[in-house]
Amino acid sequence: LTAALLLHLGGCLGSGGDGSGADSTAAGDSVTAAADTSGAKKPKKEKAIKVNIGEVRTGDLVMPVFADGAIRTPQSVVIKTKVGGQLMDVLVRDGDRVRKGQLLARIDPREFEIALEESRYRHLQALSQMAAEADTFEVNHEAVKDFTTARNDLEKLRTNGSITREEYSNRLLELEMAALQKGAFREAVFQQRTGLAEARMAEERAKLNLEYTEIRAPFAGIVQGLAVVDGEIVAMGAAVCTVYNNDLLEAAVNVLEADLGNLTTGRPVLMAVPATGDTLRAVVDVISPNLDQATRTCEVLVRFPNPDGRYRPGMFVRAQIAGVIFKDKLLAPQSA
């Protein structure tokens, strides 16, 4: 009975396993066939490629030279006093725009006016003495003419190298002594003896010092760094302020020694000013004859106008200078 039961179960398990395996194999083959049929009907799509095109032309190929630097003003001056005294008026403030010759400050002129009057009195005194003694001398005009001719000839010999400077001095002294003995310089000597020559020089010096009490702008510009106030007593040579003219600026950029070989003045320059976001077009104006031994760079100056005052001395710049130029090359746009 037990043996019969085992045989019956074995037959059932064998029959069920064979049927299930056959169905699975048939289903797999059906799916594979369907996939092959679908792939054959729908080919794979290719991706489109975009390209940039441009016109090829013949022109000059420029290899740029890059250099960094800073903007500066070529026209600035520290205004200093030429005479000492008390400042009566300071007429400007920092940031004021001034014109050429405009009065910036004034020193008390009264002491200098008195000095001028004194020199004028001494001048008149010398003139009166000279008038009183006028009949005691007579000028030899022929001697003056002969001396002038001889001195010009001697000057030509010195200029063309025929005589040395020492020989020129000795011979000139001989000519002067001979002319004096003939009466050539009697008027000048008379003026010196009466004090007229000294009085004239003193008067001119007093006039000049009186003019110096008015401190004026040497050129149009902007006042900066005012260092004095009303009532201050200043000495000769004291700094009053600085005047900047920013209408024309220059950028001083440092070019590496290796890039100097083909660089010349007049080359085009593109100059970026990061502070304002601008790019300026200019040309190379000056290439320094000296090379910095520490940095192995050469200073190059690029000048440009600044009518609106947009750019200021000290701003950083980055320059792109036309360096090596290859003529008549076939060029394609970089974008293509």
Side-chain angles (χ1 to χ4, degrees), residues 146-204:
D146 293 341
F147 168 76
T148 303
T149 302
R151 184 187 59 186
N152 292 340
D153 293 339
L154 189 63
E155 184 69 27
K156 291 179 182 179
L157 293 175
R158 186 186 66 84
T159 302
N160 59 29
S162 300
I163 59 175
T164 64
R165 183 179 295 274
E166 184 177 358
E167 291 174 337
Y168 170 79
S169 299
N170 293 335
R171 292 175 63 175
L172 179 60
L173 180 60
E174 293 175 359
L175 287 176
E176 291 173 341
M177 291 299 296
L180 180 60
Q181 292 175 356
K182 295 178 182 179
F185 304 125
R186 286 181 181 177
E187 185 176 1
V189 172
F190 186 51
Q191 291 182 10
Q192 180 65 30
R193 182 167 60 85
T194 58
L196 180 61
E198 184 180 354
R200 283 176 175 172
M201 289 187 290
E203 184 176 358
E204 292 299 320

Tab-separated table of all heavy atoms in Angstrom, residues 146-204:
chain	number	residue	atom	x	y	z
A	146	ASP	N	83.039	148.855	-31.706
A	146	ASP	CA	84.200	147.989	-31.959
A	146	ASP	C	84.231	146.815	-30.977
A	146	ASP	O	84.557	145.681	-31.359
A	146	ASP	CB	85.487	148.810	-31.832
A	146	ASP	CG	85.608	149.852	-32.923
A	146	ASP	OD1	84.913	149.706	-33.960
A	146	ASP	OD2	86.382	150.812	-32.737
A	147	PHE	N	83.890	147.091	-29.733
A	147	PHE	CA	83.885	146.013	-28.736
A	147	PHE	C	82.827	144.960	-29.090
A	147	PHE	O	83.088	143.757	-28.983
A	147	PHE	CB	83.610	146.581	-27.343
A	147	PHE	CG	83.304	145.529	-26.326
A	147	PHE	CD1	84.306	144.746	-25.788
A	147	PHE	CD2	81.994	145.296	-25.916
A	147	PHE	CE1	84.018	143.759	-24.856
A	147	PHE	CE2	81.698	144.311	-24.995
A	147	PHE	CZ	82.717	143.538	-24.452
A	148	THR	N	81.653	145.390	-29.503
A	148	THR	CA	80.579	144.451	-29.847
A	148	THR	C	80.998	143.551	-31.006
A	148	THR	O	80.782	142.330	-30.979
A	148	THR	CB	79.297	145.211	-30.206
A	148	THR	OG1	78.927	146.057	-29.107
A	148	THR	CG2	78.168	144.249	-30.520
A	149	THR	N	81.630	144.114	-32.018
A	149	THR	CA	82.079	143.329	-33.169
A	149	THR	C	83.148	142.321	-32.761
A	149	THR	O	83.104	141.142	-33.141
A	149	THR	CB	82.629	144.258	-34.263
A	149	THR	OG1	81.607	145.192	-34.644
A	149	THR	CG2	83.069	143.461	-35.481
A	150	ALA	N	84.119	142.763	-31.972
A	150	ALA	CA	85.196	141.872	-31.543
A	150	ALA	C	84.670	140.757	-30.646
A	150	ALA	O	85.110	139.601	-30.744
A	150	ALA	CB	86.269	142.687	-30.820
A	151	ARG	N	83.712	141.076	-29.792
A	151	ARG	CA	83.143	140.049	-28.909
A	151	ARG	C	82.379	139.001	-29.710
A	151	ARG	O	82.466	137.793	-29.422
A	151	ARG	CB	82.216	140.700	-27.896
A	151	ARG	CG	81.638	139.731	-26.860
A	151	ARG	CD	80.601	140.409	-26.005
A	151	ARG	NE	79.510	140.928	-26.824
A	151	ARG	CZ	78.519	141.676	-26.331
A	151	ARG	NH1	78.495	142.012	-25.064
A	151	ARG	NH2	77.556	142.111	-27.139
A	152	ASN	N	81.643	139.408	-30.753
A	152	ASN	CA	80.913	138.447	-31.590
A	152	ASN	C	81.868	137.525	-32.327
A	152	ASN	O	81.613	136.321	-32.454
A	152	ASN	CB	80.018	139.193	-32.571
A	152	ASN	CG	78.872	139.916	-31.882
A	152	ASN	OD1	78.504	139.590	-30.757
A	152	ASN	ND2	78.302	140.917	-32.556
A	153	ASP	N	82.969	138.075	-32.826
A	153	ASP	CA	83.970	137.236	-33.515
A	153	ASP	C	84.588	136.231	-32.548
A	153	ASP	O	84.820	135.064	-32.902
A	153	ASP	CB	85.065	138.120	-34.120
A	153	ASP	CG	84.536	138.992	-35.245
A	153	ASP	OD1	83.481	138.650	-35.813
A	153	ASP	OD2	85.186	140.022	-35.551
A	154	LEU	N	84.858	136.681	-31.321
A	154	LEU	CA	85.430	135.796	-30.320
A	154	LEU	C	84.451	134.691	-29.939
A	154	LEU	O	84.842	133.533	-29.730
A	154	LEU	CB	85.820	136.616	-29.094
A	154	LEU	CG	86.642	135.904	-28.019
A	154	LEU	CD1	87.983	135.472	-28.584
A	154	LEU	CD2	86.840	136.816	-26.809
A	155	GLU	N	83.173	135.025	-29.902
A	155	GLU	CA	82.137	134.033	-29.591
A	155	GLU	C	82.065	132.961	-30.667
A	155	GLU	O	81.878	131.771	-30.365
A	155	GLU	CB	80.790	134.740	-29.442
A	155	GLU	CG	79.648	133.824	-29.025
A	155	GLU	CD	79.784	133.328	-27.608
A	155	GLU	OE1	80.404	134.023	-26.777
A	155	GLU	OE2	79.272	132.228	-27.334
A	156	LYS	N	82.224	133.340	-31.923
A	156	LYS	CA	82.218	132.365	-33.019
A	156	LYS	C	83.383	131.392	-32.902
A	156	LYS	O	83.240	130.196	-33.157
A	156	LYS	CB	82.270	133.093	-34.357
A	156	LYS	CG	81.014	133.877	-34.692
A	156	LYS	CD	81.160	134.600	-36.022
A	156	LYS	CE	79.911	135.422	-36.343
A	156	LYS	NZ	80.067	136.159	-37.629
A	157	LEU	N	84.577	131.918	-32.523
A	157	LEU	CA	85.743	131.045	-32.350
A	157	LEU	C	85.506	130.026	-31.244
A	157	LEU	O	85.895	128.857	-31.363
A	157	LEU	CB	86.978	131.888	-32.034
A	157	LEU	CG	87.473	132.806	-33.160
A	157	LEU	CD1	88.635	133.659	-32.660
A	157	LEU	CD2	87.879	131.995	-34.382
A	158	ARG	N	84.851	130.443	-30.170
A	158	ARG	CA	84.569	129.511	-29.072
A	158	ARG	C	83.530	128.475	-29.477
A	158	ARG	O	83.646	127.293	-29.125
A	158	ARG	CB	84.085	130.284	-27.847
A	158	ARG	CG	83.905	129.414	-26.601
A	158	ARG	CD	83.280	130.206	-25.482
A	158	ARG	NE	81.919	130.589	-25.797
A	158	ARG	CZ	80.856	129.804	-25.611
A	158	ARG	NH1	81.011	128.578	-25.126
A	158	ARG	NH2	79.639	130.238	-25.914
A	159	THR	N	82.539	128.910	-30.273
A	159	THR	CA	81.464	127.997	-30.667
A	159	THR	C	81.972	126.900	-31.591
A	159	THR	O	81.593	125.730	-31.447
A	159	THR	CB	80.335	128.782	-31.354
A	159	THR	OG1	79.853	129.795	-30.455
A	159	THR	CG2	79.185	127.861	-31.741
A	160	ASN	N	82.823	127.258	-32.556
A	160	ASN	CA	83.313	126.223	-33.496
A	160	ASN	C	84.523	125.455	-32.980
A	160	ASN	O	85.092	124.618	-33.681
A	160	ASN	CB	83.644	126.853	-34.855
A	160	ASN	CG	84.707	127.942	-34.752
A	160	ASN	OD1	85.567	127.921	-33.871
A	160	ASN	ND2	84.652	128.910	-35.672
A	161	GLY	N	84.961	125.740	-31.740
A	161	GLY	CA	86.022	124.965	-31.121
A	161	GLY	C	87.423	125.421	-31.462
A	161	GLY	O	88.394	124.712	-31.151
A	162	SER	N	87.559	126.582	-32.065
A	162	SER	CA	88.897	127.064	-32.417
A	162	SER	C	89.689	127.466	-31.186
A	162	SER	O	90.932	127.419	-31.193
A	162	SER	CB	88.794	128.255	-33.384
A	162	SER	OG	88.128	127.862	-34.580
A	163	ILE	N	89.006	127.898	-30.146
A	163	ILE	CA	89.674	128.251	-28.890
A	163	ILE	C	88.951	127.571	-27.745
A	163	ILE	O	87.782	127.217	-27.848
A	163	ILE	CB	89.702	129.785	-28.667
A	163	ILE	CG1	88.275	130.345	-28.640
A	163	ILE	CG2	90.528	130.478	-29.746
A	163	ILE	CD1	88.217	131.825	-28.304
A	164	THR	N	89.681	127.388	-26.642
A	164	THR	CA	89.079	126.757	-25.467
A	164	THR	C	88.275	127.778	-24.675
A	164	THR	O	88.365	128.997	-24.915
A	164	THR	CB	90.170	126.154	-24.574
A	164	THR	OG1	91.001	127.215	-24.083
A	164	THR	CG2	91.022	125.157	-25.360
A	165	ARG	N	87.535	127.284	-23.698
A	165	ARG	CA	86.744	128.180	-22.850
A	165	ARG	C	87.655	129.103	-22.043
A	165	ARG	O	87.347	130.292	-21.846
A	165	ARG	CB	85.860	127.343	-21.915
A	165	ARG	CG	84.947	128.175	-21.027
A	165	ARG	CD	84.097	127.276	-20.153
A	165	ARG	NE	83.188	126.491	-20.966
A	165	ARG	CZ	81.989	126.910	-21.361
A	165	ARG	NH1	81.583	128.143	-21.049
A	165	ARG	NH2	81.220	126.133	-22.092
A	166	GLU	N	88.758	128.588	-21.580
A	166	GLU	CA	89.676	129.420	-20.803
A	166	GLU	C	90.275	130.525	-21.673
A	166	GLU	O	90.387	131.683	-21.227
A	166	GLU	CB	90.783	128.546	-20.213
A	166	GLU	CG	91.737	129.301	-19.311
A	166	GLU	CD	92.778	128.395	-18.695
A	166	GLU	OE1	92.710	127.166	-18.953
A	166	GLU	OE2	93.653	128.897	-17.975
A	167	GLU	N	90.662	130.177	-22.900
A	167	GLU	CA	91.197	131.188	-23.818
A	167	GLU	C	90.141	132.248	-24.124
A	167	GLU	O	90.457	133.444	-24.221
A	167	GLU	CB	91.679	130.534	-25.111
A	167	GLU	CG	92.923	129.669	-24.952
A	167	GLU	CD	93.273	128.917	-26.222
A	167	GLU	OE1	92.345	128.719	-27.050
A	167	GLU	OE2	94.432	128.535	-26.388
A	168	TYR	N	88.911	131.806	-24.279
A	168	TYR	CA	87.819	132.749	-24.542
A	168	TYR	C	87.662	133.736	-23.384
A	168	TYR	O	87.540	134.950	-23.598
A	168	TYR	CB	86.527	131.978	-24.767
A	168	TYR	CG	85.291	132.852	-24.801
A	168	TYR	CD1	84.960	133.575	-25.938
A	168	TYR	CD2	84.460	132.962	-23.677
A	168	TYR	CE1	83.822	134.384	-25.979
A	168	TYR	CE2	83.325	133.766	-23.699
A	168	TYR	CZ	83.016	134.464	-24.857
A	168	TYR	OH	81.904	135.271	-24.880
A	169	SER	N	87.713	133.262	-22.157
A	169	SER	CA	87.549	134.135	-20.984
A	169	SER	C	88.689	135.155	-20.896
A	169	SER	O	88.459	136.341	-20.615
A	169	SER	CB	87.500	133.294	-19.706
A	169	SER	OG	86.395	132.409	-19.740
A	170	ASN	N	89.910	134.702	-21.145
A	170	ASN	CA	91.061	135.606	-21.053
A	170	ASN	C	91.012	136.684	-22.128
A	170	ASN	O	91.246	137.875	-21.841
A	170	ASN	CB	92.354	134.811	-21.174
A	170	ASN	CG	92.575	133.881	-19.986
A	170	ASN	OD1	92.061	134.132	-18.882
A	170	ASN	ND2	93.321	132.807	-20.199
A	171	ARG	N	90.682	136.279	-23.344
A	171	ARG	CA	90.651	137.255	-24.434
A	171	ARG	C	89.475	138.220	-24.290
A	171	ARG	O	89.565	139.394	-24.657
A	171	ARG	CB	90.605	136.524	-25.774
A	171	ARG	CG	91.908	135.778	-26.077
A	171	ARG	CD	91.840	134.952	-27.339
A	171	ARG	NE	91.622	135.780	-28.524
A	171	ARG	CZ	91.626	135.306	-29.780
A	171	ARG	NH1	91.847	134.002	-29.976
A	171	ARG	NH2	91.424	136.103	-30.796
A	172	LEU	N	88.353	137.724	-23.741
A	172	LEU	CA	87.211	138.607	-23.518
A	172	LEU	C	87.548	139.668	-22.465
A	172	LEU	O	87.167	140.841	-22.595
A	172	LEU	CB	86.002	137.790	-23.071
A	172	LEU	CG	84.726	138.572	-22.783
A	172	LEU	CD1	84.244	139.322	-24.027
A	172	LEU	CD2	83.623	137.653	-22.264
A	173	LEU	N	88.264	139.259	-21.429
A	173	LEU	CA	88.665	140.217	-20.409
A	173	LEU	C	89.568	141.295	-20.996
A	173	LEU	O	89.439	142.489	-20.675
A	173	LEU	CB	89.377	139.488	-19.268
A	173	LEU	CG	89.870	140.361	-18.112
A	173	LEU	CD1	88.698	141.096	-17.457
A	173	LEU	CD2	90.609	139.495	-17.084
A	174	GLU	N	90.474	140.911	-21.890
A	174	GLU	CA	91.354	141.882	-22.545
A	174	GLU	C	90.544	142.864	-23.387
A	174	GLU	O	90.816	144.077	-23.385
A	174	GLU	CB	92.372	141.152	-23.416
A	174	GLU	CG	93.373	140.320	-22.622
A	174	GLU	CD	94.285	139.519	-23.543
A	174	GLU	OE1	94.104	139.612	-24.788
A	174	GLU	OE2	95.160	138.801	-23.034
A	175	LEU	N	89.537	142.343	-24.104
A	175	LEU	CA	88.697	143.225	-24.917
A	175	LEU	C	87.927	144.212	-24.047
A	175	LEU	O	87.795	145.397	-24.380
A	175	LEU	CB	87.713	142.384	-25.742
A	175	LEU	CG	88.288	141.595	-26.924
A	175	LEU	CD1	87.181	140.743	-27.558
A	175	LEU	CD2	88.881	142.550	-27.971
A	176	GLU	N	87.407	143.741	-22.932
A	176	GLU	CA	86.643	144.617	-22.040
A	176	GLU	C	87.523	145.719	-21.447
A	176	GLU	O	87.101	146.892	-21.350
A	176	GLU	CB	86.000	143.781	-20.927
A	176	GLU	CG	84.879	142.870	-21.412
A	176	GLU	CD	84.377	141.932	-20.342
A	176	GLU	OE1	85.100	141.717	-19.339
A	176	GLU	OE2	83.258	141.403	-20.502
A	177	MET	N	88.737	145.373	-21.042
A	177	MET	CA	89.631	146.383	-20.461
A	177	MET	C	90.018	147.427	-21.503
A	177	MET	O	90.042	148.641	-21.209
A	177	MET	CB	90.886	145.692	-19.913
A	177	MET	CG	90.634	144.819	-18.693
A	177	MET	SD	89.986	145.751	-17.285
A	177	MET	CE	91.374	146.820	-16.961
A	178	ALA	N	90.283	146.968	-22.730
A	178	ALA	CA	90.652	147.913	-23.785
A	178	ALA	C	89.488	148.832	-24.126
A	178	ALA	O	89.662	150.049	-24.320
A	178	ALA	CB	91.110	147.142	-25.025
A	179	ALA	N	88.262	148.276	-24.173
A	179	ALA	CA	87.093	149.087	-24.489
A	179	ALA	C	86.801	150.083	-23.367
A	179	ALA	O	86.393	151.221	-23.620
A	179	ALA	CB	85.889	148.180	-24.725
A	180	LEU	N	87.030	149.655	-22.112
A	180	LEU	CA	86.797	150.554	-20.980
A	180	LEU	C	87.752	151.755	-21.024
A	180	LEU	O	87.351	152.897	-20.767
A	180	LEU	CB	86.979	149.784	-19.672
A	180	LEU	CG	86.766	150.580	-18.372
A	180	LEU	CD1	85.348	151.132	-18.311
A	180	LEU	CD2	87.060	149.699	-17.162
A	181	GLN	N	88.995	151.495	-21.373
A	181	GLN	CA	89.971	152.588	-21.464
A	181	GLN	C	89.624	153.569	-22.582
A	181	GLN	O	89.952	154.756	-22.494
A	181	GLN	CB	91.372	152.008	-21.679
A	181	GLN	CG	91.898	151.242	-20.485
A	181	GLN	CD	93.222	150.573	-20.767
A	181	GLN	OE1	93.733	150.620	-21.901
A	181	GLN	NE2	93.794	149.941	-19.738
A	182	LYS	N	88.943	153.083	-23.611
A	182	LYS	CA	88.541	153.950	-24.718
A	182	LYS	C	87.209	154.650	-24.445
A	182	LYS	O	86.736	155.411	-25.289
A	182	LYS	CB	88.425	153.133	-26.003
A	182	LYS	CG	89.748	152.559	-26.481
A	182	LYS	CD	89.546	151.720	-27.731
A	182	LYS	CE	90.864	151.096	-28.205
A	182	LYS	NZ	90.679	150.260	-29.416
A	183	GLY	N	86.586	154.360	-23.309
A	183	GLY	CA	85.335	155.013	-22.957
A	183	GLY	C	84.087	154.268	-23.369
A	183	GLY	O	83.012	154.873	-23.479
A	184	ALA	N	84.177	152.946	-23.574
A	184	ALA	CA	83.019	152.185	-24.039
A	184	ALA	C	81.998	151.963	-22.934
A	184	ALA	O	80.803	151.949	-23.181
A	184	ALA	CB	83.470	150.847	-24.613
A	185	PHE	N	82.447	151.781	-21.683
A	185	PHE	CA	81.534	151.427	-20.596
A	185	PHE	C	81.406	152.536	-19.562
A	185	PHE	O	81.065	152.283	-18.412
A	185	PHE	CB	82.024	150.142	-19.899
A	185	PHE	CG	82.207	148.979	-20.833
A	185	PHE	CD1	83.421	148.333	-20.891
A	185	PHE	CD2	81.176	148.571	-21.653
A	185	PHE	CE1	83.599	147.260	-21.753
A	185	PHE	CE2	81.350	147.501	-22.515
A	185	PHE	CZ	82.566	146.835	-22.577
A	186	ARG	N	81.696	153.767	-19.941
A	186	ARG	CA	81.698	154.839	-18.962
A	186	ARG	C	80.312	155.068	-18.355
A	186	ARG	O	80.181	155.364	-17.165
A	186	ARG	CB	82.211	156.122	-19.610
A	186	ARG	CG	83.706	156.103	-19.853
A	186	ARG	CD	84.181	157.390	-20.465
A	186	ARG	NE	85.620	157.339	-20.722
A	186	ARG	CZ	86.305	158.318	-21.314
A	186	ARG	NH1	85.669	159.418	-21.707
A	186	ARG	NH2	87.601	158.206	-21.515
A	187	GLU	N	79.252	154.911	-19.171
A	187	GLU	CA	77.903	155.127	-18.644
A	187	GLU	C	77.530	154.069	-17.621
A	187	GLU	O	76.964	154.374	-16.562
A	187	GLU	CB	76.887	155.147	-19.784
A	187	GLU	CG	75.476	155.478	-19.333
A	187	GLU	CD	74.508	155.590	-20.495
A	187	GLU	OE1	74.942	155.393	-21.650
A	187	GLU	OE2	73.325	155.853	-20.249
A	188	ALA	N	77.861	152.810	-17.931
A	188	ALA	CA	77.553	151.738	-16.993
A	188	ALA	C	78.337	151.896	-15.694
A	188	ALA	O	77.809	151.687	-14.586
A	188	ALA	CB	77.857	150.379	-17.631
A	189	VAL	N	79.601	152.282	-15.838
A	189	VAL	CA	80.421	152.492	-14.648
A	189	VAL	C	79.885	153.664	-13.832
A	189	VAL	O	79.852	153.625	-12.594
A	189	VAL	CB	81.883	152.732	-15.052
A	189	VAL	CG1	82.721	153.160	-13.843
A	189	VAL	CG2	82.477	151.480	-15.681
A	190	PHE	N	79.417	154.686	-14.532
A	190	PHE	CA	78.872	155.863	-13.841
A	190	PHE	C	77.600	155.497	-13.073
A	190	PHE	O	77.394	155.926	-11.935
A	190	PHE	CB	78.597	156.946	-14.882
A	190	PHE	CG	78.169	158.256	-14.299
A	190	PHE	CD1	78.908	158.848	-13.274
A	190	PHE	CD2	77.032	158.891	-14.752
A	190	PHE	CE1	78.525	160.067	-12.728
A	190	PHE	CE2	76.639	160.104	-14.205
A	190	PHE	CZ	77.386	160.689	-13.193
A	191	GLN	N	76.768	154.667	-13.699
A	191	GLN	CA	75.540	154.227	-13.016
A	191	GLN	C	75.871	153.395	-11.784
A	191	GLN	O	75.211	153.505	-10.741
A	191	GLN	CB	74.666	153.423	-13.972
A	191	GLN	CG	74.043	154.246	-15.090
A	191	GLN	CD	73.149	153.400	-15.975
A	191	GLN	OE1	72.848	152.246	-15.661
A	191	GLN	NE2	72.723	153.962	-17.091
A	192	GLN	N	76.904	152.596	-11.888
A	192	GLN	CA	77.305	151.782	-10.747
A	192	GLN	C	77.876	152.663	-9.639
A	192	GLN	O	77.580	152.458	-8.448
A	192	GLN	CB	78.351	150.744	-11.194
A	192	GLN	CG	78.846	149.834	-10.088
A	192	GLN	CD	77.740	148.939	-9.556
A	192	GLN	OE1	76.828	148.565	-10.269
A	192	GLN	NE2	77.811	148.607	-8.271
A	193	ARG	N	78.662	153.661	-10.001
A	193	ARG	CA	79.282	154.538	-9.007
A	193	ARG	C	78.251	155.392	-8.274
A	193	ARG	O	78.367	155.632	-7.068
A	193	ARG	CB	80.317	155.428	-9.694
A	193	ARG	CG	81.063	156.343	-8.738
A	193	ARG	CD	82.260	156.956	-9.420
A	193	ARG	NE	81.874	157.741	-10.583
A	193	ARG	CZ	81.480	159.024	-10.543
A	193	ARG	NH1	81.383	159.649	-9.373
A	193	ARG	NH2	81.183	159.669	-11.642
A	194	THR	N	77.221	155.819	-8.985
A	194	THR	CA	76.178	156.643	-8.358
A	194	THR	C	75.116	155.807	-7.644
A	194	THR	O	74.233	156.364	-6.981
A	194	THR	CB	75.494	157.517	-9.413
A	194	THR	OG1	74.933	156.686	-10.441
A	194	THR	CG2	76.480	158.499	-10.033
A	195	GLY	N	75.152	154.464	-7.782
A	195	GLY	CA	74.175	153.598	-7.134
A	195	GLY	C	72.898	153.407	-7.925
A	195	GLY	O	71.945	152.787	-7.433
A	196	LEU	N	72.855	153.922	-9.175
A	196	LEU	CA	71.633	153.795	-9.969
A	196	LEU	C	71.353	152.344	-10.352
A	196	LEU	O	70.200	151.897	-10.294
A	196	LEU	CB	71.748	154.659	-11.223
A	196	LEU	CG	70.548	154.640	-12.166
A	196	LEU	CD1	69.301	155.152	-11.442
A	196	LEU	CD2	70.828	155.450	-13.428
A	197	ALA	N	72.374	151.608	-10.733
A	197	ALA	CA	72.175	150.209	-11.146
A	197	ALA	C	71.626	149.373	-9.994
A	197	ALA	O	70.686	148.595	-10.151
A	197	ALA	CB	73.490	149.631	-11.653
A	198	GLU	N	72.204	149.559	-8.814
A	198	GLU	CA	71.740	148.804	-7.641
A	198	GLU	C	70.310	149.202	-7.269
A	198	GLU	O	69.500	148.348	-6.900
A	198	GLU	CB	72.678	149.051	-6.486
A	198	GLU	CG	72.336	148.249	-5.245
A	198	GLU	CD	73.303	148.515	-4.107
A	198	GLU	OE1	74.297	149.237	-4.329
A	198	GLU	OE2	73.047	148.005	-2.990
A	199	ALA	N	69.990	150.495	-7.401
A	199	ALA	CA	68.642	150.952	-7.071
A	199	ALA	C	67.613	150.367	-8.030
A	199	ALA	O	66.501	150.013	-7.621
A	199	ALA	CB	68.604	152.479	-7.113
A	200	ARG	N	67.969	150.269	-9.295
A	200	ARG	CA	67.052	149.682	-10.269
A	200	ARG	C	66.773	148.216	-9.943
A	200	ARG	O	65.628	147.761	-9.988
A	200	ARG	CB	67.644	149.802	-11.673
A	200	ARG	CG	67.523	151.182	-12.283
A	200	ARG	CD	68.210	151.232	-13.618
A	200	ARG	NE	68.010	152.519	-14.270
A	200	ARG	CZ	68.643	152.886	-15.394
A	200	ARG	NH1	69.521	152.073	-15.950
A	200	ARG	NH2	68.393	154.068	-15.921
A	201	MET	N	67.798	147.460	-9.634
A	201	MET	CA	67.616	146.036	-9.313
A	201	MET	C	66.796	145.858	-8.042
A	201	MET	O	65.946	144.959	-7.958
A	201	MET	CB	68.976	145.354	-9.180
A	201	MET	CG	69.716	145.189	-10.498
A	201	MET	SD	71.229	144.210	-10.364
A	201	MET	CE	72.265	145.342	-9.438
A	202	ALA	N	67.027	146.712	-7.060
A	202	ALA	CA	66.262	146.625	-5.814
A	202	ALA	C	64.792	146.918	-6.063
A	202	ALA	O	63.902	146.270	-5.475
A	202	ALA	CB	66.833	147.595	-4.784
A	203	GLU	N	64.502	147.862	-6.942
A	203	GLU	CA	63.102	148.188	-7.250
A	203	GLU	C	62.415	147.027	-7.969
A	203	GLU	O	61.261	146.689	-7.661
A	203	GLU	CB	63.044	149.450	-8.105
A	203	GLU	CG	61.616	149.911	-8.375
A	203	GLU	CD	61.571	151.214	-9.149
A	203	GLU	OE1	62.644	151.777	-9.437
A	203	GLU	OE2	60.452	151.662	-9.478
A	204	GLU	N	63.117	146.413	-8.912
A	204	GLU	CA	62.535	145.274	-9.626
A	204	GLU	C	62.289	144.103	-8.686
A	204	GLU	O	61.268	143.409	-8.780
A	204	GLU	CB	63.454	144.847	-10.775
A	204	GLU	CG	63.542	145.855	-11.906
A	204	GLU	CD	62.197	146.105	-12.550
A	204	GLU	OE1	61.435	145.128	-12.721
A	204	GLU	OE2	61.899	147.272	-12.881
